[in-house]
Amino acid sequence: MLAAAVCVASALAACGHSALSPEPWMTTPIDGSVGPGGGEMMYAKSPYIEDTTSGFHAIQIFDEDKNNFITVPEAASSGNRYGAVWGNRTATAIPWQARNPGLSPLLYTPFDTDSPDLGHGLPWWKATHPDWILYECDRTTIAYVSGLPEVPLDFANPAVAAYQSATLGTYAAVNDYNGLAADVVDLNNNTGSPVRGRGGCGVWENNHTVWVQRFSGQSTDPRWDAALIAWARALSSSLHKSFASPLALAVNTSPASYAGPVNGNGGDPNVRALFNNVDVVLDEAGFSIWGNYVGDTEFNNVVRWSEYLQSQSKAFLVADDWNLQKSVPTVHEVDYSLATYLMGKEQASAVYIGKNDMYGSQNYYHQYNASIGQACAPMYGGPNDPHFHGERVYLRVFSGGLAIVNVDQHKQFLVKLPKQQYTNIEGGTVRSPVTIGPNTGFVLLSPGGCS
């Protein structure tokens, strides 16, 4: 578990960061006490995740991975901790829901390869569907996805989505999963070697006599984008219509680099089209960006996409993977993850905080039990807030407290808070104004935050 040391106090800079801004500290605090009026927008609930309106909600990533393993009794006793399990074993789908019927077990598969559990080897594919095997543009090299041994499939072919629905969807329905967890979903070609212009390119048809080019082989390719969106539309439609209980299509993709909608309008058209055809999005980069920390533009993109999805009764799962860090997430990193997650959390959003080598084991933090309540209004602050002066500091008021985050990579700021005194999530006292260092988030508790 986490160290007991409390890093948040009005006289301290960012916990775990020694390189502060060379500029003097601000002597006049940012006025963070004035937030937006009008109350919080209430969205319709998602059918694919529990109601996350109040408090923190966690997700579990895998229940078996490498040397990590969660037993069936452990799953049965721990389901009340989580809103979803991304990639659980068959034997645990029902146990995970024993103490939480609203938990969503999701069957794992890469989106553009065969399934690692229910699929087939290359000889089977060559004998059965050779025209589905995706090759690089040299027409000889099979375009394997980096790090994955499964056969890459031509997802531009509608038959592939039908195959995934018939095999994976049927297996999920029979074994009490709530949907499919499709990994490595990317609006850039991620097959073969696209950085060298040798990404997945085409297929051989008619007994290996006719070459059909699907993509350019380059990383950025409009044909790839169009095929991905069409694949999501076809598979989600089939998962919704082919089974007694509709199954969810959940995809792992990060929208941080793509412009997000503003008040539901605009945003990158390809991301928007993809998200309109899925039910759940897992953002594995999250706000941690694997330990690099999110910048201001990317932070706002993620928050806006999170809000957009939830406004459509879809779910947004934040996975803050601190994989570049040598140790398990520190108190500073956990607090940052929780504060950033709260900025876009509505009725259908949950969070994972950990590292790749923690996948498949439980890492449930005591901070998740804090009584933060529900949001009183949307996030405010940042360079466009008239009460600020360009500072990259954001706040959000909750019925049980306040989330505040500084996404500036270099500068610390002094901030006047809505209340004079709070208790931070580790139990220490915090008084206004508070100094918040670069790449830092605080979750501060105090009842009656909406009044």
Side-chain angles (χ1 to χ4, degrees):
M1 272 299 176
L2 299 173
V6 175
C7 298
V8 182
S10 59
L12 295 181
C15 176
H17 287 257
S18 58
L20 300 178
S21 169
E23 301 174 8
W25 285 10
M26 296 177 60
T27 55
T28 302
I30 303 168
D31 188 1
S33 64
V34 182
E40 177 66 346
M41 178 69 74
M42 301 301 291
Y43 301 129
K45 294 181 176 65
S46 165
Y48 298 111
I49 193 172
E50 64 183 4
D51 185 358
T52 66
T53 302
S54 183
F56 292 103
H57 292 258
I59 58 170
Q60 174 68 36
I61 296 186
F62 300 121
D63 54 19
E64 180 181 4
D65 191 53
K66 302 182 178 68
N67 296 322
N68 300 322
F69 185 84
I70 297 172
T71 66
V72 169
E74 288 172 334
S77 65
S78 302
N80 60 317
R81 290 178 163 186
Y82 307 105
V85 181
W86 176 276
N88 59 286
R89 303 190 312 280
T90 305
T92 60
I94 293 176
W96 273 119
Q97 298 176 85
R99 298 187 62 190
N100 181 10
L103 180 146
S104 289
L106 299 168
L107 178 65
Y108 176 84
T109 186
F111 103 91
D112 52 359
T113 77
D114 198 11
S115 165
D117 297 317
L118 304 178
H120 308 277
L122 181 59
W124 186 92
W125 282 103
K126 285 186 172 181
T128 308
H129 288 294
D131 54 331
W132 292 10
I133 301 171
L134 188 66
Y135 290 84
E136 296 181 9
C137 289
D138 64 5
R139 307 186 183 188
T140 301
T141 305
I142 296 176
Y144 285 99
V145 177
S146 178
L148 299 181
E150 290 76 36
V151 175
L153 302 179
D154 174 23
F155 63 91
N157 183 343
V160 169
Y163 163 81
Q164 291 171 322
S165 178
T167 55
L168 301 175
T170 298
Y171 186 87
V174 169
N175 290 282
D176 296 289
Y177 289 90
N178 283 26
L180 304 186
D183 202 5
V184 296
V185 175
D186 200 332
L187 281 163
N188 290 318
N189 189 331
N190 60 4
T191 61
S193 302
V195 293
R196 294 192 291 272
R198 302 207 312 265
C201 184
V203 296
W204 283 102
E205 295 183 348
N206 293 342
N207 295 318
H208 214 81
T209 60
V210 177
W211 171 257
V212 179
Q213 185 165 340
R214 298 295 197 198
F215 312 116
S216 68
Q218 303 294 321
S219 178
T220 302
D221 183 354
R223 286 177 288 182
W224 175 281
D225 296 345
L228 174 61
I229 294 164
W231 165 85
R233 183 184 302 114
L235 182 54
S236 63
S237 177
S238 182
L239 292 175
H240 293 170
K241 296 177 181 178
S242 301
F243 305 98
S245 295
L247 295 173
L249 175 59
V251 298
N252 178 12
T253 190
S254 176
S257 300
Y258 300 92
V262 177
N263 297 322
N265 299 311
D268 183 273
N270 286 328
V271 175
R272 190 178 179 111
L274 174 63
F275 286 2
N276 285 345
N277 288 286
V278 303
D279 304 296
V280 180
V281 170
L282 171 72
D283 178 2
E284 193 175 13
F287 296 100
S288 67
I289 314 295
W290 293 285
N292 289 314
Y293 292 93
V294 73
D296 184 70
T297 298
E298 294 78 11
F299 167 79
N300 279 283
N301 286 341
V302 175
V303 171
R304 287 168 180 167
W305 284 118
S306 174
E307 290 281 358
Y308 174 73
L309 279 158
Q310 291 172 93
S311 75
Q312 304 299 306
S313 301
K314 301 174 186 234
F316 187 78
L317 310 179
V318 179
D320 268 351
D321 185 345
W322 294 92
N323 211 44
L324 296 179
Q325 306 301 316
K326 293 181 179 179
S327 63
V328 299
T330 64
V331 173
H332 173 268
E333 290 158 357
V334 170
D335 287 359
Y336 171 90
S337 291
L338 292 177
T340 48
Y341 155 69
L342 287 175
M343 295 299 168
K345 195 271 290 187
E346 304 294 350
Q347 88 294 0
S349 182
V351 65
Y352 168 87
I353 305 170
K355 299 178 61 181
N356 279 0
D357 58 13
M358 299 167 74
Y359 287 175
S361 63
Q362 292 195 66
N363 50 309
Y364 187 86
Y365 303 99
H366 69 86
Q367 286 92 333
Y368 293 158
N369 298 314
S371 299
I372 190 65
Q374 64 186 64
C376 305
M379 175 184 82
Y380 63 99
N384 296 321
D385 192 304
H387 298 95
F388 287 29
H389 305 284
E391 298 89 354
R392 295 170 177 146
V393 175
Y394 297 85
L395 304 93
R396 195 176 190 194
V397 176
F398 287 77
S399 60
L402 174 75
I404 176 172
V405 60
N406 177 11
V407 296
D408 197 295
Q409 303 279 332
H410 307 289
K411 296 179 181 179
Q412 62 184 14
F413 301 102
L414 190 64
V415 184
K416 179 183 177 183
L417 305 177
K419 292 187 176 184
Q420 288 298 308
Q421 182 171 308
Y422 293 84
T423 300
N424 68 37
I425 202 168
E426 281 77 40
T429 299
V430 176
R431 295 181 176 86
S432 179
V434 65
T435 297
I436 184 166
N439 295 330
T440 298
F442 300 152
V443 178
L444 308 178
L445 304 175
S446 179
C450 297
S451 59

